[in-house]
PDB file of all heavy atoms in Angstrom:
ATOM      1  N   LYS A  22      20.515  -2.550 -36.540  1.00  0.00           N
ATOM      2  CA  LYS A  22      20.738  -1.166 -36.946  1.00  0.00           C
ATOM      3  C   LYS A  22      19.939  -0.223 -36.058  1.00  0.00           C
ATOM      4  O   LYS A  22      18.734  -0.408 -35.863  1.00  0.00           O
ATOM      5  CB  LYS A  22      20.310  -0.985 -38.411  1.00  0.00           C
ATOM      6  CG  LYS A  22      20.566   0.428 -38.942  1.00  0.00           C
ATOM      7  CD  LYS A  22      20.181   0.541 -40.413  1.00  0.00           C
ATOM      8  CE  LYS A  22      20.490   1.942 -40.949  1.00  0.00           C
ATOM      9  NZ  LYS A  22      20.123   2.069 -42.389  1.00  0.00           N
ATOM     10  N   PHE A  63       1.188  16.404 -20.898  1.00  0.00           N
ATOM     11  CA  PHE A  63       1.055  15.759 -22.198  1.00  0.00           C
ATOM     12  C   PHE A  63      -0.287  15.060 -22.331  1.00  0.00           C
ATOM     13  O   PHE A  63      -0.726  14.743 -23.441  1.00  0.00           O
ATOM     14  CB  PHE A  63       2.197  14.758 -22.401  1.00  0.00           C
ATOM     15  CG  PHE A  63       2.497  14.459 -23.845  1.00  0.00           C
ATOM     16  CD1 PHE A  63       3.298  15.310 -24.587  1.00  0.00           C
ATOM     17  CD2 PHE A  63       1.975  13.341 -24.472  1.00  0.00           C
ATOM     18  CE1 PHE A  63       3.573  15.052 -25.921  1.00  0.00           C
ATOM     19  CE2 PHE A  63       2.243  13.060 -25.799  1.00  0.00           C
ATOM     20  CZ  PHE A  63       3.050  13.928 -26.524  1.00  0.00           C
ATOM     21  N   ILE A  66      -2.614  16.490 -24.777  1.00  0.00           N
ATOM     22  CA  ILE A  66      -2.421  16.087 -26.168  1.00  0.00           C
ATOM     23  C   ILE A  66      -3.051  14.716 -26.418  1.00  0.00           C
ATOM     24  O   ILE A  66      -3.758  14.519 -27.405  1.00  0.00           O
ATOM     25  CB  ILE A  66      -0.915  16.048 -26.506  1.00  0.00           C
ATOM     26  CG1 ILE A  66      -0.328  17.456 -26.439  1.00  0.00           C
ATOM     27  CG2 ILE A  66      -0.680  15.421 -27.878  1.00  0.00           C
ATOM     28  CD1 ILE A  66       1.173  17.511 -26.642  1.00  0.00           C
ATOM     29  N   SER A  78     -15.709  10.348 -33.606  1.00  0.00           N
ATOM     30  CA  SER A  78     -15.138   9.228 -34.349  1.00  0.00           C
ATOM     31  C   SER A  78     -13.643   9.149 -34.077  1.00  0.00           C
ATOM     32  O   SER A  78     -13.016  10.108 -33.613  1.00  0.00           O
ATOM     33  CB  SER A  78     -15.373   9.421 -35.847  1.00  0.00           C
ATOM     34  OG  SER A  78     -14.628  10.544 -36.306  1.00  0.00           O
ATOM     35  N   ASP A  95       3.871  25.095 -31.075  1.00  0.00           N
ATOM     36  CA  ASP A  95       3.790  26.535 -31.378  1.00  0.00           C
ATOM     37  C   ASP A  95       4.061  27.382 -30.142  1.00  0.00           C
ATOM     38  O   ASP A  95       4.654  28.472 -30.240  1.00  0.00           O
ATOM     39  CB  ASP A  95       2.412  26.884 -31.949  1.00  0.00           C
ATOM     40  CG  ASP A  95       2.164  26.273 -33.324  1.00  0.00           C
ATOM     41  OD1 ASP A  95       3.153  25.871 -33.971  1.00  0.00           O
ATOM     42  OD2 ASP A  95       0.988  26.170 -33.727  1.00  0.00           O
ATOM     43  N   PHE A 107      20.875  10.598 -30.288  1.00  0.00           N
ATOM     44  CA  PHE A 107      20.453   9.532 -29.390  1.00  0.00           C
ATOM     45  C   PHE A 107      20.258  10.139 -28.010  1.00  0.00           C
ATOM     46  O   PHE A 107      20.699  11.258 -27.731  1.00  0.00           O
ATOM     47  CB  PHE A 107      21.532   8.433 -29.272  1.00  0.00           C
ATOM     48  CG  PHE A 107      21.728   7.592 -30.501  1.00  0.00           C
ATOM     49  CD1 PHE A 107      23.006   7.332 -30.984  1.00  0.00           C
ATOM     50  CD2 PHE A 107      20.644   7.023 -31.154  1.00  0.00           C
ATOM     51  CE1 PHE A 107      23.197   6.537 -32.097  1.00  0.00           C
ATOM     52  CE2 PHE A 107      20.827   6.234 -32.274  1.00  0.00           C
ATOM     53  CZ  PHE A 107      22.102   5.989 -32.750  1.00  0.00           C
ATOM     54  N   TYR A 110      18.942   7.358 -21.073  1.00  0.00           N
ATOM     55  CA  TYR A 110      17.845   7.672 -20.137  1.00  0.00           C
ATOM     56  C   TYR A 110      17.920   6.746 -18.940  1.00  0.00           C
ATOM     57  O   TYR A 110      18.026   5.524 -19.089  1.00  0.00           O
ATOM     58  CB  TYR A 110      16.513   7.515 -20.872  1.00  0.00           C
ATOM     59  CG  TYR A 110      15.269   7.716 -20.037  1.00  0.00           C
ATOM     60  CD1 TYR A 110      15.171   8.710 -19.060  1.00  0.00           C
ATOM     61  CD2 TYR A 110      14.150   6.905 -20.249  1.00  0.00           C
ATOM     62  CE1 TYR A 110      14.019   8.882 -18.320  1.00  0.00           C
ATOM     63  CE2 TYR A 110      12.983   7.081 -19.520  1.00  0.00           C
ATOM     64  CZ  TYR A 110      12.929   8.067 -18.555  1.00  0.00           C
ATOM     65  OH  TYR A 110      11.777   8.237 -17.812  1.00  0.00           O
ATOM     66  N   THR A 142      -0.249 -10.533 -31.552  1.00  0.00           N
ATOM     67  CA  THR A 142      -0.915  -9.236 -31.628  1.00  0.00           C
ATOM     68  C   THR A 142      -2.341  -9.415 -32.133  1.00  0.00           C
ATOM     69  O   THR A 142      -2.657 -10.392 -32.822  1.00  0.00           O
ATOM     70  CB  THR A 142      -0.169  -8.277 -32.568  1.00  0.00           C
ATOM     71  OG1 THR A 142      -0.020  -8.886 -33.857  1.00  0.00           O
ATOM     72  CG2 THR A 142       1.206  -7.924 -32.020  1.00  0.00           C
ATOM     73  N   GLN A 183      28.342  10.163 -16.014  1.00  0.00           N
ATOM     74  CA  GLN A 183      29.069  11.104 -15.168  1.00  0.00           C
ATOM     75  C   GLN A 183      28.997  12.528 -15.701  1.00  0.00           C
ATOM     76  O   GLN A 183      29.348  13.488 -15.008  1.00  0.00           O
ATOM     77  CB  GLN A 183      30.543  10.684 -15.052  1.00  0.00           C
ATOM     78  CG  GLN A 183      30.747   9.279 -14.491  1.00  0.00           C
ATOM     79  CD  GLN A 183      30.079   9.080 -13.146  1.00  0.00           C
ATOM     80  OE1 GLN A 183      30.239   9.898 -12.242  1.00  0.00           O
ATOM     81  NE2 GLN A 183      29.320   7.992 -13.020  1.00  0.00           N
ATOM     82  N   HIS A 229       2.448  -4.578 -30.131  1.00  0.00           N
ATOM     83  CA  HIS A 229       1.444  -3.934 -30.976  1.00  0.00           C
ATOM     84  C   HIS A 229       1.992  -2.655 -31.602  1.00  0.00           C
ATOM     85  O   HIS A 229       1.719  -2.351 -32.771  1.00  0.00           O
ATOM     86  CB  HIS A 229       0.176  -3.629 -30.166  1.00  0.00           C
ATOM     87  CG  HIS A 229      -0.681  -4.832 -29.919  1.00  0.00           C
ATOM     88  ND1 HIS A 229      -0.520  -5.647 -28.821  1.00  0.00           N
ATOM     89  CD2 HIS A 229      -1.695  -5.378 -30.649  1.00  0.00           C
ATOM     90  CE1 HIS A 229      -1.399  -6.633 -28.875  1.00  0.00           C
ATOM     91  NE2 HIS A 229      -2.124  -6.493 -29.966  1.00  0.00           N
ATOM     92  N   ASN A 246       8.848   9.197 -47.092  1.00  0.00           N
ATOM     93  CA  ASN A 246       9.140   9.670 -45.734  1.00  0.00           C
ATOM     94  C   ASN A 246      10.086   8.688 -45.053  1.00  0.00           C
ATOM     95  O   ASN A 246       9.690   7.589 -44.662  1.00  0.00           O
ATOM     96  CB  ASN A 246       7.833   9.798 -44.949  1.00  0.00           C
ATOM     97  CG  ASN A 246       8.036  10.277 -43.525  1.00  0.00           C
ATOM     98  OD1 ASN A 246       9.169  10.525 -43.083  1.00  0.00           O
ATOM     99  ND2 ASN A 246       6.946  10.431 -42.792  1.00  0.00           N
ATOM    100  N   SER A 260      20.084  -7.714 -18.398  1.00  0.00           N
ATOM    101  CA  SER A 260      20.251  -7.757 -16.937  1.00  0.00           C
ATOM    102  C   SER A 260      19.559  -6.604 -16.232  1.00  0.00           C
ATOM    103  O   SER A 260      19.351  -6.653 -15.018  1.00  0.00           O
ATOM    104  CB  SER A 260      21.743  -7.751 -16.584  1.00  0.00           C
ATOM    105  OG  SER A 260      22.380  -6.597 -17.131  1.00  0.00           O
ATOM    106  N   GLU A 266       5.435 -11.464 -13.239  1.00  0.00           N
ATOM    107  CA  GLU A 266       4.361 -12.301 -13.748  1.00  0.00           C
ATOM    108  C   GLU A 266       3.069 -11.488 -13.852  1.00  0.00           C
ATOM    109  O   GLU A 266       2.970 -10.390 -13.319  1.00  0.00           O
ATOM    110  CB  GLU A 266       4.138 -13.500 -12.814  1.00  0.00           C
ATOM    111  CG  GLU A 266       3.441 -13.173 -11.498  1.00  0.00           C
ATOM    112  CD  GLU A 266       4.312 -12.503 -10.440  1.00  0.00           C
ATOM    113  OE1 GLU A 266       5.489 -12.200 -10.718  1.00  0.00           O
ATOM    114  OE2 GLU A 266       3.806 -12.260  -9.338  1.00  0.00           O
ATOM    115  N   HIS A 296      -3.007 -22.011   4.756  1.00  0.00           N
ATOM    116  CA  HIS A 296      -3.936 -21.318   5.655  1.00  0.00           C
ATOM    117  C   HIS A 296      -3.897 -19.804   5.408  1.00  0.00           C
ATOM    118  O   HIS A 296      -4.178 -19.377   4.308  1.00  0.00           O
ATOM    119  CB  HIS A 296      -3.657 -21.697   7.106  1.00  0.00           C
ATOM    120  CG  HIS A 296      -3.750 -23.174   7.342  1.00  0.00           C
ATOM    121  ND1 HIS A 296      -4.953 -23.841   7.351  1.00  0.00           N
ATOM    122  CD2 HIS A 296      -2.781 -24.120   7.528  1.00  0.00           C
ATOM    123  CE1 HIS A 296      -4.743 -25.142   7.551  1.00  0.00           C
ATOM    124  NE2 HIS A 296      -3.423 -25.337   7.664  1.00  0.00           N
ATOM    125  N   PHE A 306       7.519 -23.951 -11.685  1.00  0.00           N
ATOM    126  CA  PHE A 306       6.641 -25.120 -11.535  1.00  0.00           C
ATOM    127  C   PHE A 306       5.890 -25.118 -10.206  1.00  0.00           C
ATOM    128  O   PHE A 306       5.333 -26.129  -9.801  1.00  0.00           O
ATOM    129  CB  PHE A 306       7.405 -26.437 -11.699  1.00  0.00           C
ATOM    130  CG  PHE A 306       8.084 -26.590 -13.031  1.00  0.00           C
ATOM    131  CD1 PHE A 306       9.410 -27.002 -13.110  1.00  0.00           C
ATOM    132  CD2 PHE A 306       7.404 -26.310 -14.207  1.00  0.00           C
ATOM    133  CE1 PHE A 306      10.038 -27.148 -14.338  1.00  0.00           C
ATOM    134  CE2 PHE A 306       8.026 -26.443 -15.440  1.00  0.00           C
ATOM    135  CZ  PHE A 306       9.348 -26.863 -15.502  1.00  0.00           C
ATOM    136  N   LEU A 343      -6.880 -23.845 -15.928  1.00  0.00           N
ATOM    137  CA  LEU A 343      -7.836 -22.868 -16.451  1.00  0.00           C
ATOM    138  C   LEU A 343      -8.740 -23.451 -17.534  1.00  0.00           C
ATOM    139  O   LEU A 343      -9.955 -23.226 -17.533  1.00  0.00           O
ATOM    140  CB  LEU A 343      -7.095 -21.638 -16.990  1.00  0.00           C
ATOM    141  CG  LEU A 343      -6.236 -20.867 -15.978  1.00  0.00           C
ATOM    142  CD1 LEU A 343      -5.591 -19.656 -16.643  1.00  0.00           C
ATOM    143  CD2 LEU A 343      -7.072 -20.434 -14.776  1.00  0.00           C
ATOM    144  N   HIS A 344      -8.152 -24.201 -18.451  1.00  0.00           N
ATOM    145  CA  HIS A 344      -8.953 -24.752 -19.544  1.00  0.00           C
ATOM    146  C   HIS A 344      -9.736 -26.002 -19.122  1.00  0.00           C
ATOM    147  O   HIS A 344     -10.977 -26.024 -19.213  1.00  0.00           O
ATOM    148  CB  HIS A 344      -8.058 -25.041 -20.756  1.00  0.00           C
ATOM    149  CG  HIS A 344      -8.824 -25.433 -21.973  1.00  0.00           C
ATOM    150  ND1 HIS A 344      -8.284 -26.133 -23.019  1.00  0.00           N
ATOM    151  CD2 HIS A 344     -10.129 -25.229 -22.316  1.00  0.00           C
ATOM    152  CE1 HIS A 344      -9.198 -26.339 -23.941  1.00  0.00           C
ATOM    153  NE2 HIS A 344     -10.324 -25.798 -23.550  1.00  0.00           N
ATOM    154  N   PHE A 383      -4.794 -17.001  -8.650  1.00  0.00           N
ATOM    155  CA  PHE A 383      -3.578 -17.789  -8.844  1.00  0.00           C
ATOM    156  C   PHE A 383      -2.382 -16.856  -8.946  1.00  0.00           C
ATOM    157  O   PHE A 383      -2.415 -15.851  -9.668  1.00  0.00           O
ATOM    158  CB  PHE A 383      -3.671 -18.635 -10.124  1.00  0.00           C
ATOM    159  CG  PHE A 383      -4.745 -19.682 -10.076  1.00  0.00           C
ATOM    160  CD1 PHE A 383      -5.981 -19.446 -10.656  1.00  0.00           C
ATOM    161  CD2 PHE A 383      -4.528 -20.901  -9.439  1.00  0.00           C
ATOM    162  CE1 PHE A 383      -6.977 -20.404 -10.622  1.00  0.00           C
ATOM    163  CE2 PHE A 383      -5.516 -21.864  -9.392  1.00  0.00           C
ATOM    164  CZ  PHE A 383      -6.746 -21.619  -9.984  1.00  0.00           C
TER     165      PHE A 383
END
Side-chain angles (χ1 to χ4, degrees):
K22 183 178 182 180
F63 204 82
I66 294 175
S78 67
D95 293 342
F107 290 133
Y110 176 40
T142 55
Q183 302 305 311
H229 283 89
N246 180 0
S260 58
E266 74 283 4
H296 302 288
F306 301 132
L343 300 181
H344 188 202
F383 295 98

